[in-house]
Structure formats: C-alpha cells, structure tokens
Amino acid sequence: MNIFRLAADMTHLISILVLLLKIHATRSCRGISLKTQDLYALVFLFRYLDLFTRYISLYNTVMKLVFLGTSFSIIYFMRFHRVVRNTYDKEQDTFRSIFIVVPCAVLALLINQERSVLEILWTFSIYLEAVAILPQLVLLQRTQNIDNLTGNYVFLLGTYRGLYILNWIYRYLTEPHYRQWIVWLSGVLQTGLYVDFFYYYFLAWRNNQKLSLP
Amino acid sequence: LGTTASKDEL
C-alpha cells in the first residue's frame, strides 16, 4: 500500500459518501444516472467474487464489502425509496448501457490473462468500470443547474482515477514484477473520459459560477 | 500480460 493508492481509495469512498449524503440530505437523486450506478454495482459484483476465494488483507476485504454495500444501497434508494425514486430523471437518463456492456463482455472474452470464469468476469469488470461513467456524463450535459453535491461527486470520482495512475507509476518504479497492462490501459482511458468534465468544473470554480456542461 | 499478484487493488 502506498500513499497514492490509499488516497485514491479514500477519495473513491468519499465520492460514494457524498452521493449518499446528497440522497439523504436532499431526499433527491436528481442529476444522478441510475444506469451508471447499476454498472458500478455490476463492476463491484464481478470484481469482488474473489472475496470468497482469496484473502488479501482486512483492509481489502472491508473496503470491498463497503463498496458493494453502498453501491447496492444507492440503487435501492433510486429505485424503491418512496420519495427519492420520484426525483430520478428517467427521461433524461437515456444512455443505452447495452452498447457498453456487450463490447466489454466480448473484449473480456478475447483479451484476458487466463481462461477461467473468475478471471474473465474480473477482466470484464475492469473494462466496464472504464466506461461506466458515460451515462452519468451524458445526463450531466442534459441537466440544467447541476447541484454542488452532484458536481463534487463526479469530480471526486475523476480524482480517484487520477490518483490510481500515480499509484501505478509508483508501483511500476518500486515493484519489479508489477505489470498490469489491461488495468493500466483501461484506467488511462477511464481517466481520459473526465478531462472534459474537469475543464468545465475548474472553469465554474474559477469564475465562481454554477457548473454546467455545454 | 500481467500477474495475478497485483489483484490486491480495489
């Protein structure tokens, strides 16, 4: 564990807490894409199947359980909570998840490290996480008056991905056998998807205006 | 490609 990875994981955790805070405090999930949340739940579900087969550390196990629990509770609120579910912008959240799920599944079958079910599902989760933010970014572009908590949620997610790149550089330099091309390429692509968002986020911050994506 | 050792990341 290095400082970049710890910072990345904590930023990821805080982003999820910010989203839960928004839902609790405002009783609203306005501007949040259920499609992205569904995809993240799928990502965690498939990636953390090794919870049952391999013990890495207490930190690792606890974080996996927290990510699984929080992602499913967010989906629960958005789908079933009496008040919150009515604030979901279903008409605006139109991205077709199938267009990213199928290519990621095909890619995982073709490009993986090992022909085993667990490994292919794990690889699928890596590819899927890289593009799972797309429905959220599309919804943000359509949302007038993005609220602060939603903007900060996406900002924290992007920061978490950026910190993971620093972690990989650090590990590449300090751990001779650490090579993960699938994870690195997917991660760099994923971080790239936030570049546009970051530009408008800082523009809004500098000009002291509300965030809006053109 | 890579090694499974680095699957210690979240």
Side-chain angles (χ1 to χ4, degrees):
Chain A
M1 176 64 77
N2 60 64
I3 187 70
F4 302 112
R5 182 147 57 121
L6 183 64
D9 290 345
M10 290 306 116
T11 309
H12 192 186
L13 186 62
I14 292 167
S15 77
I16 294 168
L17 294 179
V18 164
L19 178 52
L20 278 168
L21 172 75
K22 172 197 156 76
I23 292 174
H24 271 275
T26 66
R27 296 268 146 190
S28 160
C29 61
R30 193 180 155 273
I32 300 298
S33 166
L34 181 57
K35 306 214 166 172
T36 284
Q37 297 305 319
D38 283 342
L39 293 173
Y40 280 143
L42 204 61
V43 164
F44 291 140
L45 199 64
F46 285 162
R47 187 170 311 162
Y48 299 160
L49 287 171
D50 68 353
L51 266 174
F52 303 103
T53 59
R54 206 156 41 100
Y55 178 80
I56 295 162
S57 66
L58 182 65
Y59 170 83
N60 193 280
T61 303
V62 170
M63 290 295 276
K64 283 173 175 172
L65 291 173
V66 168
F67 285 153
L68 279 167
T70 48
S71 69
F72 279 96
S73 68
I74 288 163
I75 290 174
Y76 168 80
F77 277 110
M78 293 185 73
R79 280 188 193 280
F80 303 114
H81 187 276
R82 189 173 49 85
V83 180
V84 175
R85 69 169 187 216
N86 296 321
T87 62
Y88 168 51
D89 307 319
K90 195 177 194 322
E91 287 73 31
Q92 305 269 45
D93 192 16
T94 54
F95 192 95
R96 300 283 300 274
S97 302
I98 195 87
F99 291 140
I100 50 182
V101 171
V102 172
C104 287
V106 172
L107 207 59
L109 284 167
L110 294 175
I111 305 173
N112 53 56
Q113 293 172 18
E114 192 187 300
R115 294 238 153 235
S116 76
V117 175
L118 272 185
E119 181 68 23
I120 288 169
L121 288 177
W122 180 86
T123 312
F124 172 63
S125 84
I126 295 291
Y127 295 147
L128 193 59
E129 187 190 356
V131 287
I133 194 65
L134 285 174
Q136 180 63 66
L137 292 174
V138 169
L139 179 59
L140 275 190
Q141 281 196 330
R142 294 182 176 165
T143 307
Q144 303 292 317
N145 299 314
I146 301 166
D147 61 89
N148 280 331
L149 287 173
T150 303
N152 287 330
Y153 166 65
V154 177
F155 174 75
L156 287 164
L157 275 179
T159 305
Y160 138 64
R161 292 316 310 180
L163 287 167
Y164 250 98
I165 292 182
L166 296 182
N167 157 58
W168 294 329
I169 294 170
Y170 181 87
R171 292 190 79 175
Y172 179 83
L173 296 173
T174 56
E175 294 175 43
H177 300 292
Y178 179 71
R179 299 286 183 274
Q180 272 283 32
W181 292 106
I182 288 177
V183 175
W184 293 347
L185 290 174
S186 308
V188 169
L189 167 73
Q190 185 175 1
T191 312
L193 296 181
Y194 288 91
V195 167
D196 205 43
F197 171 84
F198 268 69
Y199 173 74
Y200 291 106
Y201 183 90
F202 281 114
L203 216 59
W205 176 74
R206 199 190 61 188
N207 299 335
N208 219 355
Q209 289 169 340
K210 269 194 106 68
L211 174 66
S212 71
L213 304 184
Chain B
L1 293 165
T3 56
T4 49
S6 44
K7 286 214 179 86
D8 54 359
E9 290 174 359
L10 290 164

